[in-house]
Amino acid sequence: MKRFLSFITALAMVLSIFAVQKPIFADSNATGATDLPDEIRLTWTQDPTTTQTITWRTDTTVNLGQVQYGKDPLLKDAKIVDASVQKFSSDLGDMNIHSATYILV
């Protein structure tokens, strides 16, 4: 549980780094995807005691994504996991679904 809380804290800090001029999350009233990550989900795709999978949505202009995590609040020792990207279409429009799984060691 302690590792999980450390990860969540680190993830929140990483996402806050990108909040230079505009918000880091899409408007909660928007229905379609934007260039900002939204619909962020934490799940498991492997062993839940040692892994965490983070999935989020963006519009089709965002083709790369990554998760950075570490114990240092400033992420000086951050590990980086590149996200896979999958195209998806719905009645809300075209979007990219990003997914990254990290493994605790």
Side-chain angles (χ1 to χ4, degrees):
M1 183 67 170
K2 188 174 182 179
R3 284 184 178 175
F4 179 74
L5 292 176
S6 295
F7 168 75
I8 295 301
T9 301
L11 178 62
M13 292 184 74
V14 167
L15 292 175
S16 69
I17 290 171
F18 300 105
V20 177
Q21 294 283 351
K22 59 183 184 176
I24 60 169
F25 298 111
D27 180 1
S28 62
N29 295 320
T31 55
T34 69
D35 63 333
L36 300 173
D38 69 352
E39 300 294 330
I40 300 168
R41 305 280 192 254
L42 301 177
T43 58
W44 294 277
T45 55
Q46 298 174 26
D47 181 354
T49 62
T50 59
T51 65
Q52 179 72 68
T53 299
I54 300 93
T55 303
W56 65 97
R57 166 182 89 157
T58 65
D59 66 16
T60 57
T61 64
V62 181
N63 294 309
L64 299 173
Q66 63 180 211
V67 172
Q68 296 180 358
Y69 66 97
K71 293 181 181 181
D72 184 297
L74 299 176
L75 294 175
K76 293 178 183 175
D77 64 342
K79 294 182 175 131
I80 299 172
V81 177
D82 291 325
S84 62
V85 180
Q86 184 176 11
K87 304 283 184 199
F88 184 77
S89 295
S90 76
D91 59 337
L92 298 176
D94 296 332
M95 60 196 77
N96 285 339
I97 306 297
H98 305 260
S99 185
T101 299
Y102 80 91
I103 300 171
L104 294 173
V105 283

